[in-house]
Amino acid sequence: MIRTPILQQTHFLIAQEDPLQSPDLLRLKEKECLSMLQRCKSSEEFKQAHAQFLKLGLDGDPRRSGSLVAACALSDWGNMDYACSIFRRIEEPGIFEYNTIIRGHVKDMDSQAALLLYRKMLERGIEPDNFTYPSLLKACSYLSAQEEGIQIHGHVFKFGFESDLFVQNSLINMYGKCGEVKHSIRVFKKMDGRSEASWSSLIASHSRLGLWSECLRLFGDMSSEGCWRANESTLVSVLSSCTHLGALDLGRCTHVSLLRNISRLNVILETSLIDMYVKCGSLEKGFSIFHKMHNKNQLSYSVMISGLAIHGRGKEALSVFSDMLEEGLEPDAVIYVSLLSACSHAGLVSEGRECFTRMRLEHHIEPTIQHYGCMIDLLGRAGLLNEAYELIKSMPMEPNDVVWRCLLSACRVHQNLELAEIAGEKLFQLDPHNASDYVLLSNIYAKAHQWEDMARMRKDLAQKALAQTPGFSTVEVKRKVHKFVSQDKSHPDCDAVYEMIHQMQWQLRFEGYIPDTSQVLLDVNEEEKQQRLSVHSQKLAIAFALIHKSQGSTIRIVKNLRMCSDCHTYTKLISKIFERKIIVRDRNRFHHFQDGNCSCRDYW
Ligand code: ZN
Ligand code: ZN
């Protein structure tokens, strides 16, 4: 269809004022005028055409004004001020006009205006319909306004829309975004028929709160209820659940289902896949998806660089970073944190220094406390303790506990008592309840044979009754994630696991393993210490995997804490004795154990 330019149409419309025009012709022109208004591509075009519309006196019919409000409020070029001015001219706006303006405000991210208008509408005695609530609930979720949300939920009941599918889905979403997952579940359970969107909203509610196992369980339920075609956002939630839990097999299945259901993966899904593979320990697979990606954005680079960093592949992280610059993408502060930590994990001191300078001079990013933390870690690991301390003193912000802890750990590795005491003192002021700091310092004293100081640390610890965060490890066997807590006997297979631990212990002794009991804090005898050490969660998870996973398959473990030095030695030996590749993700990084060695080269 050939579009008539606005100006020509204007002449045409003015001509209509001639009283000799026949009613048929008038109707035709009226139609022309309306369709012209609907075809507008900008708010300026719309205003011009609307002026003609008014000139022709076509605004008498409220329904017609309603569609004008809709065009002006909901189009991509929408102009809410103008839409409101048309709305105000309508003598008796009905529910359609109100819904439109409410939707327009929500689209414009002006949630307050939407809620205000809703109240005015009720005051004027206009009854809402099922189209009113999805927008209003969205407004509440933008505001994280739980109170308002609950009130509106009350109205949903009052006006009888509690069984409407769209309203129910919006309620699940709203409660999820306000962090009230219990209410989301309540609405979900009461539903008679659930759509894909209902599942998707419920899964998103859980993933927002980091309830990863629940997400996967719900995804399983969704599939078993015959809802196979999950939408992209659900699949992103599922992938990030796999990522957090280290559930590689489940992640692979999700990947297969993606390839089956979606013809072309978008950049968000591909990036989630890379993140999943990398953080589940399959760096190569993540890297290969990354290489094949057509449209990499800043986030894809960021995910890949941080993945390489936690696997200790510093040089490759730097080379991906140069590719990114070559593609003309600007790095941000987050990418620099990953780069610096990549240099730190790989011991690339001069490269790290260069990055630290470059971020300020070339990319004008002022270092945050995280960047300083990485630099101190980098220098500390490399044994440049004085330089690290000087850097702390020169920081423009107050150093936090993380910074001092980096220095303290470095002091343990390089045995520097003087700086260790300074770092320890700062730590006990900043975070007096962290048991592992006391242990770290007491170990440094023990190595220096300062037994009295060591005893003082342990006494402090006992007096403050500080408990260490319970350590846990998860391992995936046959697509199910199993969780083991240190010394815990709650796992249904625990008898077999403890029997396996016993057998492993014997074989390790032949290899010359001596338990490193220096990390056991409790004042108990040596035998008891060894006993406690032998049931650290990581060892339980390895035992379980050795029983259940086929010969030759890789064992992948995720744990919440930093690996203790005993578990590190133990796992190295197990990888040799049982000829298994064992990959452990601890709080800081990945360790790939094979043939008695670890990829971190004992530098973690
Ligand atoms: Zn351990
Ligand atoms: Zn290691």
Side-chain angles (χ1 to χ4, degrees):
M1 190 171 63
I2 301 160
R3 283 190 59 203
T4 327
I6 296 276
L7 257 177
Q8 266 182 32
Q9 289 195 9
T10 311
H11 288 300
F12 175 69
L13 289 164
I14 289 167
Q16 292 228 349
E17 286 172 338
D18 187 344
L20 297 173
Q21 296 272 9
S22 74
D24 276 354
L25 195 58
L26 200 70
R27 256 199 300 280
L28 193 74
K29 309 236 159 116
E30 186 184 319
K31 216 172 139 193
E32 186 84 15
C33 181
L34 278 173
S35 88
M36 185 173 92
L37 273 160
Q38 274 154 10
R39 284 199 314 259
C40 287
K41 288 263 159 59
S42 74
S43 112
E44 280 316 303
E45 248 180 67
F46 184 86
K47 278 183 193 169
Q48 282 180 30
H50 185 232
Q52 293 310 317
F53 178 88
L54 294 176
K55 217 168 178 181
L56 274 172
L58 292 173
D59 58 334
D61 184 347
R63 273 176 311 166
R64 214 176 270 150
S65 307
S67 31
L68 288 187
V69 172
C72 188
L74 305 174
S75 308
D76 290 337
W77 48 263
N79 179 336
M80 271 316 280
D81 287 340
Y82 199 68
C84 287
S85 76
I86 307 176
F87 176 75
R88 277 193 293 271
R89 285 173 62 117
I90 305 175
E91 243 167 64
E92 283 188 11
I95 186 61
F96 172 78
E97 288 76 33
Y98 271 104
N99 282 349
T100 308
I101 279 285
I102 289 175
R103 235 178 94 195
H105 281 311
V106 175
K107 185 175 164 275
D108 225 23
M109 304 295 280
D110 191 351
S111 300
Q112 294 288 11
L115 292 166
L116 203 70
L117 198 69
Y118 170 68
R119 270 183 230 119
K120 276 196 184 147
M121 176 188 117
L122 293 183
E123 275 165 26
R124 290 184 74 167
I126 293 166
E127 279 220 4
D129 65 9
N130 54 337
F131 290 106
T132 314
Y133 290 106
S135 315
L136 281 177
L137 292 165
K138 208 185 242 180
C140 296
S141 61
Y142 286 160
L143 291 171
S144 285
Q146 197 196 327
E147 297 285 310
E148 299 270 11
I150 291 173
Q151 262 184 33
I152 288 176
H153 193 174
H155 291 189
V156 164
F157 270 102
K158 187 174 154 194
F159 291 104
F161 299 114
E162 72 274 17
S163 313
D164 183 277
L165 182 68
F166 291 103
V167 176
Q168 288 170 323
N169 288 348
S170 309
L171 279 166
I172 298 175
N173 235 327
M174 182 275 292
Y175 281 125
K177 287 196 176 139
C178 294
E180 287 295 328
V181 74
K182 270 188 204 149
H183 291 316
S184 296
I185 298 171
R186 203 169 298 153
V187 176
F188 184 81
K189 281 194 173 155
K190 281 191 186 152
M191 291 174 87
D192 291 328
R194 290 155 186 160
S195 67
E196 184 192 294
S198 328
W199 285 101
S200 157
S201 304
L202 191 66
I203 291 176
S205 305
H206 284 82
S207 95
R208 235 171 260 126
L209 292 180
L211 302 166
W212 311 115
S213 308
E214 275 302 289
C215 277
L216 292 182
R217 194 186 57 74
L218 285 168
F219 185 57
D221 290 352
M222 174 181 171
S223 313
S224 54
E225 272 200 19
C227 227
W228 282 102
R229 294 181 66 89
N231 63 20
E232 289 182 13
S233 81
T234 305
L235 291 164
V236 169
S237 299
V238 170
L239 282 174
S240 64
S241 305
C242 296
T243 308
H244 283 90
L245 295 168
L248 182 62
D249 287 343
L250 270 166
R252 275 197 197 112
C253 287
T254 316
H255 188 182
V256 170
S257 125
L258 275 174
L259 295 176
R260 229 185 260 145
N261 292 315
I262 297 170
S263 54
R264 202 183 160 81
L265 302 186
N266 64 21
V267 69
I268 301 171
L269 273 171
E270 279 186 308
T271 305
S272 309
L273 275 171
I274 297 171
D275 199 35
M276 182 277 291
Y277 278 113
V278 167
K279 295 215 178 109
C280 287
S282 185
L283 180 68
E284 303 313 326
K285 182 71 190 170
F287 218 2
S288 96
I289 297 177
F290 177 76
H291 280 309
K292 284 181 201 146
M293 253 175 111
H294 291 295
N295 302 309
K296 300 179 185 104
N297 62 13
Q298 198 206 36
L299 185 66
S300 344
Y301 275 102
S302 185
V303 162
M304 196 62 240
I305 292 171
S306 87
L308 288 162
I310 53 174
H311 283 275
R313 307 266 283 260
K315 288 249 158 73
E316 280 148 294
L318 288 168
S319 119
V320 169
F321 180 64
S322 351
D323 294 348
M324 175 184 163
L325 296 182
E326 247 168 56
E327 272 204 41
L329 292 166
E330 267 299 295
D332 62 2
V334 177
I335 290 184
Y336 267 108
V337 169
S338 303
L339 269 184
L340 291 172
S341 88
C343 292
S344 159
H345 285 310
L348 303 171
V349 179
S350 60
E351 289 86 344
R353 278 199 184 113
E354 200 190 307
C355 278
F356 196 61
T357 317
R358 200 172 173 189
M359 70 181 273
R360 277 175 297 179
L361 298 185
E362 202 173 308
H363 296 114
H364 312 291
I365 299 169
E366 272 310 303
T368 64
I369 198 148
Q370 277 176 297
H371 298 108
Y372 277 102
C374 291
M375 272 313 281
I376 285 142
D377 195 44
L378 170 81
L379 297 169
R381 282 165 193 272
L384 302 164
L385 294 172
N386 288 320
E387 197 182 326
Y389 184 47
E390 288 305 315
L391 186 62
I392 295 181
K393 287 199 284 189
S394 76
M395 279 166 64
M397 67 287 277
E398 204 50 44
N400 62 5
D401 57 328
V402 180
V403 166
W404 289 114
R405 202 165 287 125
C406 282
L407 186 67
L408 185 63
S409 315
C411 288
R412 182 186 64 95
V413 177
H414 300 284
Q415 198 57 29
N416 183 325
L417 196 58
E418 194 191 333
L419 284 178
E421 283 183 322
I422 295 174
E425 200 170 306
K426 294 281 184 190
L427 274 172
F428 301 147
Q429 281 167 17
L430 286 167
D431 184 13
H433 303 294
N434 192 322
S436 52
D437 296 337
Y438 291 84
V439 181
L440 210 56
L441 191 55
S442 90
N443 285 340
I444 298 173
Y445 282 130
K447 257 194 186 167
H449 301 288
Q450 299 209 10
W451 307 115
E452 271 178 30
D453 290 316
M454 187 196 88
R456 183 167 52 85
M457 280 295 111
R458 305 233 155 180
K459 213 173 110 197
D460 270 7
L461 193 58
Q463 269 172 356
K464 291 189 176 126
L466 300 179
Q468 273 187 305
T469 317
F472 68 77
S473 299
T474 57
V475 62
E476 188 190 39
V477 171
K478 297 190 183 98
R479 291 186 203 164
K480 196 167 176 265
V481 177
H482 297 262
K483 181 174 173 180
F484 293 89
V485 181
S486 295
Q487 308 190 52
D488 181 36
K489 293 201 173 174
S490 63
H491 194 274
D493 259 2
C494 108
D495 286 344
V497 168
Y498 277 73
E499 175 55 36
M500 186 68 189
I501 288 272
H502 188 67
Q503 283 181 34
M504 286 153 78
Q505 209 82 13
W506 273 106
Q507 305 206 41
L508 283 163
R509 293 256 154 98
F510 281 120
E511 285 291 324
Y513 161 75
I514 301 160
D516 173 10
T517 52
S518 67
Q519 312 231 352
V520 182
L521 325 169
L522 294 164
D523 204 7
V524 289
N525 64 33
E526 189 60 21
E527 199 181 330
E528 169 88 29
K529 280 183 184 171
Q530 287 192 16
Q531 163 57 26
R532 281 174 184 268
L533 211 54
S534 71
V535 288
H536 273 186
S537 66
Q538 183 173 327
K539 292 165 184 152
L540 298 177
I542 293 176
F544 181 77
L546 285 174
I547 300 169
H548 293 282
K549 289 194 73 137
S550 56
Q551 187 66 41
S553 62
T554 304
I555 297 173
R556 291 185 166 82
I557 289 169
V558 175
K559 57 189 295 169
N560 63 332
L561 302 176
R562 185 176 172 275
M563 200 183 308
C564 82
S565 61
D566 185 65
C567 283
H568 200 263
T569 316
Y570 185 101
T571 311
K572 280 201 286 189
L573 290 170
I574 292 288
S575 76
K576 186 173 160 199
I577 300 167
F578 290 85
E579 295 174 5
R580 286 296 190 108
K581 201 169 169 191
I582 303 172
I583 300 174
V584 183
R585 178 174 108 198
D586 77 359
R587 207 179 53 194
N588 291 347
R589 61 167 293 153
F590 270 96
H591 300 260
H592 295 247
F593 296 95
Q594 199 171 13
D595 303 325
N597 295 308
C598 180
S599 62
C600 75
R601 299 178 308 253
D602 303 334
Y603 189 81
W604 86 101

